[in-house]
């Protein structure tokens, strides 16, 4: 309140005398932030000293922070504020000048940028109209950034194929490989091959960035986000939290990619916390009496070394890890998390000869393949990505031959029913890339190449059981897995 009083005095407006009550209704909705300064000040001025018959213009909403000298400062969260104003029937908004660019990305609302409290009052009472802010160009909804091209990646054609499948089917992807094999390079180029996002998704993503105050300079982020938090991130940083509750990395990645390098080094509670957003595309955060739900529909690209030293199953160097170290390492990823990752691929160290040959394809070529598969899926009258199909739906989309082939593979590798669904999902995307109306046996074979951890992970879980029976303390070296209960 002191800020408001000071701003009013500095702007030669007489603050009302006596005891005043400012009621921010509804009372049960928590309100935070300095964006209420301007509306409270305007309310007091109009209630106290405006000429008879002049009130607040009914089709206007306003937000802004006041500085002590009466200037108006930018605030976080202007984009969601303007959207909410439009939803409640407001056609015009008064916002801080520095937020005008961001605010003008909501269609159907006129934006009045103000620099001082005096200007805002003059506009509200109608003595001096402010010129509306007009967006220089229509907001863009581009795909991911393409500054880094896939053709930079050499000797990993299998992984580039896998990126195409992941992009075309919306599958989460886990890459395992020795240090320096190109896992990060591949991940950084992934958003470049994704399809363009819808205006609605772009608006949702930009609203989340606005809440974090990440839009003020450019006002709009046309690209799908690529977020790559470090493995030391806290649970609140990853999932959201703080006071007031703010979005975390999972929400900042909404509509784009969350890349988690050194996946096994993230804390257990961070990794397990990903289960909810991976399952539902949303994250609910509760603190004391407050619960907030943020969108968190991202594609997960995770990368890890095959073992603590990084050289298990590679030809380049010998692995120096003990069996117990390898066991603990693999056990850091629980069954329910691996269940939510359709594709697991193994990368090998790059053969020096491949540097002469160059990359297998450009981002542009890979993206064309992805778009072709998505168009084919639309022609099959399917609107959701293949990653969201259920077992029953998948069976109706597969040929007899393909289903027989899956049975044989399941028998020989001892796979679970959950692995079967994941293989069929990825096979459905391989079929879309090839233009097969029904999944064929060849699509199943390709899908199995992208499921390296199947069988392995089940063996690890058996080993884990054995270890528990032998009553070894899992915390003695590195933490063991959570009980692998599954929601499937
Ligand atoms: Zn090793």
């Amino acid at each position: 309140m002191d800020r408001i009083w000071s701003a009013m005095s500095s702007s030669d407006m007489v603050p009302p005398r006596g005891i005043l009550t400012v009621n921010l209704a509804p009372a049960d909705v928590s309100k935070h932030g300095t964006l209420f300064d301007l509306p409270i000040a305007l309310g007091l001025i109009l209630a106290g000293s405006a000429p008879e018959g002049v009130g607040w213009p009914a089709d206007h909403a306003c937000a802004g922070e006041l500085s002590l000298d009466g200037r108006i400062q930018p605030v976080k969260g202007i984009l969601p504020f303007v959207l909410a104003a439009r939803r409640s029937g407001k056609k015009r908004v008064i916002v801080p000048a520095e937020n005008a660019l961001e605010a003008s990305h909501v269609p159907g609302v006129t934006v009045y940028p103000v620099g001082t409290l005096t200007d805002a009052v003059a506009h509200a009472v109608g003595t001096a109209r402010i010129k509306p802010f007009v967006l220089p160009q229509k907001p863009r909804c581009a795909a991911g950034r393409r500054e880094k091209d896939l053709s930079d990646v050499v000797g990993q054609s299998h992984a580039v194929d896998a990126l195409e499948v992941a992009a075309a089917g919306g599958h989460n992807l886990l890459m395992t490989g020795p240090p320096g094999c190109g896992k990060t390079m591949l991940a950084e180029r992934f958003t470049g091959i994704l399809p363009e996002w819808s205006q609605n998704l772009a608006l949702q993503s930009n609203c989340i960035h606005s809440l974090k105050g990440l839009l003020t300079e450019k006002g709009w982020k046309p690209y799908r986000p690529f977020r790559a938090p470090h493995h030391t991130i806290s649970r609140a940083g990853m999932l959201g939290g703080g006071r007031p509750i703010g979005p975390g990395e999972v929400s900042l990645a909404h509509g784009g990619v969350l890349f988690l390098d050194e996946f096994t080094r993230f804390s257990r509670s961070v990794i397990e916390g990903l289960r909810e957003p991976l399952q539902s595309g949303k994250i609910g955060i509760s603190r004391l009496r407050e619960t907030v739900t943020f969108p968190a529909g991202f594609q997960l690209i995770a990368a890890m070394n095959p073992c603590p030293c990084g050289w298990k199953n590679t030809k380049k160097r010998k692995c120096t890890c003990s069996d117990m170290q390898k066991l603990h390492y693999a056990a850091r990823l629980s069954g329910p998390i691996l269940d939510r990752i359709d594709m697991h691929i193994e990368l090998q160290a790059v053969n020096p000869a491949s540097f002469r040959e160059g990359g297998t394809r450009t981002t542009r070529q890979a993206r064309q393949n992805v778009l072709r598969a998505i168009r084919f899926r639309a022609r099959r009258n399917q609107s959701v990505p293949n990653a969201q199909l259920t077992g029953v739906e998948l069976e109706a989309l597969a040929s007899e031959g393909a289903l027989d082939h899956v049975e044989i593979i399941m028998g020989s590798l001892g796979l679970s029913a959950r692995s079967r669904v994941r293989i069929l999902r990825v096979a459905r995307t391989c079929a879309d890339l090839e233009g097969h109306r029904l999944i064929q046996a060849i699509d199943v074979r390709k899908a199995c190449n992208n499921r390296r951890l199947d069988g392995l992970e089940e063996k690890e879980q058996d080993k884990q059981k054995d270890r528990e029976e032998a009553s070894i303390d899992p915390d003695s070296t590195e933490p063991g897995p959570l009980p692998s209960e599954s929601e499937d």
Side-chain angles (χ1 to χ4, degrees):
M1 239 16 203
D2 292 341
R3 239 182 0 255
I4 295 171
W5 247 241
S6 170
M8 285 170 75
S9 308
S10 308
S11 311
D12 295 333
M13 288 166 205
V14 191
R17 285 169 185 279
I19 297 169
L20 292 164
T21 304
V22 177
N23 181 25
L24 300 178
D28 61 337
V29 176
S30 76
K31 301 157 205 79
H32 307 273
T34 49
L35 83 170
F36 294 106
D37 288 2
L38 179 62
I40 292 173
L42 287 175
L44 291 173
I45 293 162
L46 289 178
S49 55
E52 189 66 22
V54 175
W56 178 251
D59 61 347
H60 276 59
C62 72
E65 177 185 321
L66 289 174
S67 57
L68 300 178
D69 60 1
R71 276 179 301 166
I72 296 172
Q73 302 292 340
V75 290
K76 288 180 186 175
I78 270 294
L79 197 56
F81 157 75
V82 181
L83 268 180
R86 187 181 70 176
R87 249 201 318 275
S88 62
K90 307 290 181 196
K91 297 261 172 26
R92 296 161 215 279
V93 290
I94 300 174
V95 299
E98 283 173 60
N99 288 130
L101 181 60
E102 184 182 326
S104 60
H105 283 88
V106 179
V109 178
T110 309
V111 174
Y112 297 101
V114 286
T116 62
L117 181 59
T118 317
D119 291 349
V121 172
H123 180 84
V125 300
T127 50
R129 281 281 164 191
I130 294 163
K131 204 165 150 245
F133 182 89
V134 181
L135 198 60
Q137 61 182 65
K138 204 171 165 272
R140 285 174 56 216
C141 298
R145 283 176 182 277
R146 286 177 226 157
E147 288 141 14
K148 294 180 178 172
D149 200 279
L150 260 185
S151 56
D152 305 336
V153 180
V154 293
Q156 298 291 11
S157 60
H158 166 59
V160 175
D161 290 345
L163 284 192
E164 266 184 28
V165 175
H171 306 287
N172 298 318
L173 171 70
L174 172 61
M175 296 185 279
T176 310
C181 68
K183 298 182 294 261
T184 306
M185 271 183 95
L186 285 158
E188 284 171 348
R189 284 151 182 80
F190 182 68
T191 51
I193 64 171
L194 290 174
E196 279 179 15
W197 52 352
S198 65
Q199 176 81 36
N200 196 22
L201 191 59
L203 203 53
Q204 283 178 9
S205 165
N206 273 281
C207 277
I208 297 164
H209 283 74
S210 169
L211 285 175
K212 282 286 215 183
L214 300 175
L215 285 183
T216 359
E217 244 171 67
K218 292 191 176 156
W220 183 256
K221 197 176 50 61
Y223 299 107
R224 285 180 185 269
F226 175 84
R227 304 292 302 185
H230 191 254
H231 63 76
T232 51
I233 191 171
S234 67
R235 189 179 160 90
M238 180 66 96
L239 306 175
R243 246 188 101 100
I245 295 177
E249 288 293 332
V250 292
S251 300
L252 289 167
H254 180 64
V257 172
L258 181 67
F259 173 52
L260 302 183
D261 197 10
E262 311 221 40
F263 194 32
T264 48
R265 297 182 71 177
F266 283 81
S267 83
R268 178 79 56 74
S269 81
V270 166
I271 296 181
E272 290 303 315
L274 296 174
R275 280 161 62 170
E276 184 191 339
L278 284 175
Q279 186 73 29
S280 64
K282 290 184 285 206
I283 180 88
I285 305 151
S286 297
R287 279 193 63 149
L288 297 172
R289 280 169 292 164
E290 205 178 349
T291 301
V292 177
T293 301
F294 288 113
F298 56 86
Q299 227 173 317
L300 175 68
I301 304 286
M304 60 189 257
N305 291 341
C307 64
C309 83
W311 300 98
K312 187 176 123 187
N313 299 341
T314 57
K315 295 164 200 148
K316 209 169 169 182
R317 276 198 226 170
K318 205 169 176 300
C319 169
T320 55
C321 307
S322 70
D323 283 353
M324 190 52 82
Q325 279 175 315
K326 282 187 242 179
L327 197 64
H328 279 302
Y329 187 78
R332 294 209 62 154
L333 301 180
S334 70
I337 280 293
L338 290 173
D339 274 349
R340 287 163 175 77
I341 305 177
D342 282 346
M343 298 174 65
H344 301 164
I345 59 164
E346 225 170 67
L347 277 76
Q348 282 293 334
V350 181
N351 181 352
S354 4
F355 285 103
R356 281 211 216 140
E357 292 157 25
T360 46
R361 77 207 74 162
T362 62
T363 291
R364 192 185 158 82
Q365 289 164 331
R367 189 161 181 271
Q368 276 167 353
N369 294 340
V370 170
L371 295 180
R372 197 183 62 239
I374 291 173
R375 279 196 298 271
F376 187 79
R377 187 191 77 202
R379 281 209 299 279
R380 293 192 287 107
N381 292 324
Q382 182 189 315
S383 56
V384 296
N386 294 332
Q388 291 174 18
L389 293 177
T390 63
V392 179
E393 288 165 334
L394 283 159
E395 261 166 55
L397 295 167
S399 69
E400 283 296 320
L403 292 175
D404 290 345
H405 200 72
V406 177
E407 303 308 322
I408 295 168
I409 292 169
M410 283 181 70
S412 65
L413 290 178
L415 301 185
S416 65
R418 292 195 304 267
S419 300
R420 179 176 185 269
V421 171
R422 289 183 302 229
I423 288 175
L424 281 173
R425 279 190 197 131
V426 178
R428 182 58 263 176
T429 307
C430 295
D432 285 341
L433 278 159
E434 291 299 326
H436 297 158
R437 209 130 192 111
L438 290 175
I439 303 171
Q440 304 297 316
I442 175 117
D443 302 318
V444 173
R445 275 199 290 281
K446 280 188 197 161
C448 287
N449 282 338
N450 293 323
R451 287 293 313 171
R452 286 301 169 92
L453 290 191
D454 276 321
L456 273 185
E457 98 200 27
E458 276 143 34
K459 275 179 218 149
E460 295 296 353
Q461 280 167 15
D462 289 346
K463 282 189 198 167
Q464 174 68 15
K465 266 187 217 141
D466 295 345
R467 194 181 61 175
E468 275 161 15
E469 278 159 21
S471 66
I472 297 167
D473 178 10
D475 291 325
S476 57
T477 48
E478 278 185 288
L482 288 181
S484 48
E485 81 265 20
S486 173
E487 285 152 25
D488 285 27

